[in-house]
Amino acid sequence: MKKNIAIVMGGYSSEYEISLNSGNVVYQSLDTAKFNAYKIHIFKNKWVYVNDEDKEFPIDKNDFSVTVDGKKTSFDCVFNAIHGAPGEDGQLQGYFNLLNMPQTSCEMYQAAVTYNKRDCLSVLKPYGIKTAESYYVNLGDVIDEDAIIKKVGLPCFVKANKAGSSFGVTKAYKKEDLKASIDTAFKEDDEIIIESFLDGVEVSVGVITYKGATTVLPITEIVSENDFFDYKAKYLGQSQEITPARLTPEQEQSVNTLAKKVYEILKMKGFSRSEFIFKDGEPHLLEINTVPGMTKESILPQQAAVAGISLPELFESAIEDALRYKS
């Protein structure tokens, strides 16, 4: 009997358009002989099922079901394709956990802590995970530019603490740049993390649960045509994404081991994509994405392809693992 799969997409953040693209790729890729797929758009003002004629039907939030032409449909599993809030920060994970409904991403705590860059790095630091020097600022704090520069140096990266797809990220080269960079970050979040610039090879490592086992995918090297791996580099083709990365065997082994260690320390499940920069030959963790992009341009699908895993296989495994996890 075919399973009913709700593919949730959209969300409350600036990443909603990318999420819609990701969700549609999942919808187009699932094996229709095994699954009945439903596109569920989640926005602040509406939760709706959208059929192939773009007609919308409201979701009943009491049990996450939908009624179409008098027939109620419930779902066997949720495929989470929401980047940012509420799909990547723990909100939906908690909701679906209360409903005892299987979903493909990590659990609520893991989502919340990894979405908060500052908290995530703090949790991992006692385990010896190397990171950039950082300085924290909250909305309303007095901005001490000299203290920032003393701690992290110049140039430095100013980032929204809870945002993805490089929204709210700028690179400040001189003291005079800091105010504008901080203002930009505050448009995305009321918390900021300012990090020292690490000059080295940047790589992205996919670690997933695939057919019940923790699996490290082939590493991707990021070579941005821009000043850093910003939104245009990620989604508008202004970068080279080289898979497998041009690393020495020692570098490959060290970052593979580290990425898997982070995944297991945090007791993750589902998909993840961790970003690292090599400094002095050692990988330094930048951040972890727990709902990575699934668009045609996205890194994790590229990595899966190099590993010989097709999109239908990748997505089907995520669903089967979610069902197994809840059973």
Side-chain angles (χ1 to χ4, degrees):
M1 190 168 156
K2 291 202 285 186
K3 301 286 189 183
N4 292 336
I5 310 300
I7 305 167
V8 296
M9 60 188 88
Y12 305 163
S13 75
S14 300
E15 298 181 84
Y16 75 92
E17 289 183 348
I18 303 158
S19 172
L20 292 175
N21 289 337
S22 289
N24 282 317
V25 169
V26 176
Y27 179 75
Q28 292 157 12
S29 301
L30 284 183
D31 186 346
T32 55
K34 296 179 181 177
F35 304 111
N36 297 314
Y38 295 78
K39 293 181 289 186
I40 310 297
H41 289 193
I42 290 183
F43 296 104
K44 282 185 177 178
N45 63 335
K46 63 181 179 181
W47 289 28
V48 292
Y49 157 57
V50 182
N51 69 12
D52 289 338
E53 288 74 47
D54 289 330
K55 188 175 179 182
E56 297 181 352
F57 302 86
I59 293 293
D60 184 343
K61 295 181 186 177
N62 292 296
D63 59 0
F64 198 70
S65 64
V66 64
T67 300
V68 179
D69 298 330
K71 181 185 176 184
K72 179 176 175 175
T73 297
S74 298
F75 302 104
D76 298 294
C77 184
V78 175
F79 194 107
N80 184 5
I82 294 182
H83 316 311
E88 200 168 4
D89 62 356
Q91 293 184 63
L92 280 186
Q93 287 84 348
Y95 167 73
F96 290 126
N97 192 45
L98 288 172
L99 294 177
N100 198 33
M101 184 171 291
Q103 54 89 27
T104 57
S105 58
C106 61
E107 292 299 294
M108 179 180 70
Y109 170 76
Q110 284 75 10
V113 77
T114 51
Y115 192 62
N116 187 310
K117 297 179 182 71
R118 299 180 346 186
D119 288 359
C120 185
L121 297 177
S122 297
V123 167
L124 292 170
K125 194 171 184 179
Y127 292 91
I129 308 300
K130 290 183 168 57
T131 64
E133 285 288 342
S134 57
Y135 187 102
Y136 303 159
V137 180
N138 294 331
L139 188 63
D141 286 354
V142 174
I143 308 300
D144 187 338
E145 293 168 337
D146 291 326
I148 293 169
I149 293 167
K150 184 178 180 182
K151 181 76 183 294
V152 303
L154 289 171
C156 62
F157 282 103
V158 182
K159 303 177 179 181
N161 187 41
K162 301 185 294 291
S165 297
S166 296
F167 286 109
V169 179
T170 54
K171 188 175 180 181
Y173 281 89
K174 51 188 186 292
K175 182 177 177 179
E176 293 75 26
D177 297 335
L178 280 172
K179 186 181 185 307
S181 294
I182 288 169
D183 289 344
T184 296
F186 275 139
K187 290 176 184 175
E188 294 293 328
D189 191 24
D190 60 1
E191 297 175 348
I192 287 175
I193 180 169
I194 304 173
E195 293 181 324
S196 58
F197 168 59
L198 300 178
D199 190 11
V201 176
E202 181 172 353
V203 296
S204 185
V205 188
V207 184
I208 65 174
T209 303
Y210 184 67
K211 297 186 177 179
T214 301
T215 302
V216 182
L217 295 173
I219 303 165
T220 299
E221 179 183 348
I222 309 297
V223 184
S224 177
E225 296 173 9
N226 302 332
D227 201 16
F228 62 97
F229 195 45
D230 60 6
Y231 180 89
K232 291 180 180 178
K234 284 183 179 178
Y235 297 106
L236 302 181
Q238 296 178 12
S239 68
Q240 279 184 284
E241 295 161 5
I242 303 165
T243 311
R246 300 168 298 182
L247 301 177
T248 66
E250 293 77 19
Q251 287 176 317
E252 183 178 342
Q253 179 63 39
S254 67
V255 77
N256 271 349
T257 300
L258 188 58
K260 186 176 182 183
K261 179 181 178 181
V262 167
Y263 190 91
E264 292 174 344
I265 286 170
L266 294 173
K267 299 181 180 178
M268 296 286 293
K269 72 179 187 73
F271 300 141
S272 77
R273 202 190 70 235
S274 301
E275 318 300 331
F276 297 88
I277 286 183
F278 280 90
K279 181 189 178 188
D280 301 326
E282 292 193 273
H284 288 57
L285 178 67
L286 299 179
E287 64 179 32
I288 304 167
N289 301 280
T290 59
V291 186
M294 292 295 164
T295 68
K296 297 293 193 294
E297 299 81 18
S298 298
I299 292 171
L300 195 133
Q302 295 178 35
Q303 296 175 339
V306 172
I309 303 170
S310 68
L311 288 182
E313 289 171 329
L314 185 69
F315 300 149
E316 181 176 334
S317 172
I319 292 166
E320 295 297 338
D321 284 331
L323 291 168
R324 188 184 304 115
Y325 184 82
K326 273 293 182 184
S327 62

